[in-house]
Amino acid sequence: MARSTGTGLVSGNRASIARLLAQLDGVSPEAIAKADTRALASVRRRMEPVTKRVIRQAYNVKAGELSGKFRLRQSGDALELYATTAGVPLDAFGGRWRGPARRKSGQFAPPATAEILRGNRKSYPSAFMATINGTRGIYVRQYSRDARSASGRDPRNKLRRLRGPSVFQMTQGLGDVNAALIVNELNTYRASEIARQLQLARKGR
């Protein structure tokens, strides 16, 4: 997996309370540990779908670009969600380009556009879509000291693929809104799942 960074803790307080109540009800430590393991496995399975859904409510990113980009780390009774920090290719955000210059009319096609945030499509100066070394993307020609064009960009070489925010940045969201939504939903689910597993343990004690 690519480099990733922690996004914030998923608190375990409510899960701790549920375990304490189970102890008071006479549920064995082994049964409580098994219930906790099963609840944690359920949270891990739910983590990626929840995070994807929250991200894609605000960001116009392909779902496939988010697959396999998250993981959970456990520290004591707390969980922390990690996400990759590499920028997602700009073309994954609904990238569009009308095509190369129209030679007959002499007009140049408008630059490529992308819609990172839903409902907010932007154009990127001098950007175009192309397939380079088998990879389709949105590129710009980098500035070069020996370039002869008026723009100062190299006409053929030194292409740079444009990228948008990273999965980590989208998980956080603007003003950390996404992180709060994700953590709250996983918190609520973890508490309900450990309670359900402990209820099953009570019946089987």
Side-chain angles (χ1 to χ4, degrees), residues 130-197:
T131 300
I132 308 296
N133 296 325
T135 302
R136 185 73 172 172
I138 296 179
Y139 297 86
V140 292
R141 306 186 197 283
Q142 297 191 70
Y143 290 101
S144 176
R145 292 182 179 180
D146 57 355
R148 297 180 180 178
S149 64
S151 67
R153 296 182 185 273
D154 191 288
R156 293 289 179 185
N157 303 314
K158 301 180 182 178
L159 299 180
R160 178 170 61 90
R161 190 179 187 185
L162 297 184
R163 294 180 176 272
S166 67
V167 176
F168 169 78
Q169 290 171 316
M170 290 186 284
T171 302
Q172 295 294 97
L174 299 178
D176 291 342
V177 170
N178 284 355
L181 291 172
I182 294 166
V183 167
N184 183 64
E185 184 164 342
L186 291 180
N187 258 330
T188 301
Y189 178 75
R190 186 185 185 194
S192 64
E193 183 62 13
I194 186 63
R196 187 180 73 84
Q197 293 290 345

Side-chain angles (χ1 to χ4, degrees), residues 31-165:
I32 292 175
K34 182 181 293 187
D36 202 25
T37 299
R38 290 175 175 174
L40 180 58
S42 296
V43 172
R44 289 186 184 279
R45 288 193 297 269
R46 194 178 185 89
M47 172 268 297
E48 184 162 313
V50 167
T51 307
K52 281 183 177 180
R53 172 168 48 78
V54 171
I55 287 176
R56 298 187 72 238
Q57 286 174 351
Y59 292 89
N60 182 41
V61 63
K62 294 179 180 178
E65 290 291 338
L66 304 175
S67 297
K69 303 295 176 64
F70 311 98
R71 58 195 169 113
L72 280 177
R73 284 185 180 176
Q74 187 171 9
S75 177
D77 198 36
L79 300 174
E80 186 171 8
L81 175 62
Y82 277 66
T84 55
T85 57
V88 174
L90 188 60
D91 50 285
F93 297 91
R96 297 177 188 170
W97 188 49
R98 288 178 54 186
R102 299 179 181 179
R103 294 184 179 179
K104 290 185 178 180
S105 64
Q107 296 179 346
F108 288 92
T113 66
E115 184 182 348
I116 294 177
L117 291 172
R118 292 193 179 276
N120 187 24
R121 180 166 290 276
K122 293 184 178 181
S123 62
Y124 294 81
S126 302
F128 59 94
M129 296 192 78
T131 300
I132 308 296
N133 296 325
T135 302
R136 185 73 172 172
I138 296 179
Y139 297 86
V140 292
R141 306 186 197 283
Q142 297 191 70
Y143 290 101
S144 176
R145 292 182 179 180
D146 57 355
R148 297 180 180 178
S149 64
S151 67
R153 296 182 185 273
D154 191 288
R156 293 289 179 185
N157 303 314
K158 301 180 182 178
L159 299 180
R160 178 170 61 90
R161 190 179 187 185
L162 297 184
R163 294 180 176 272

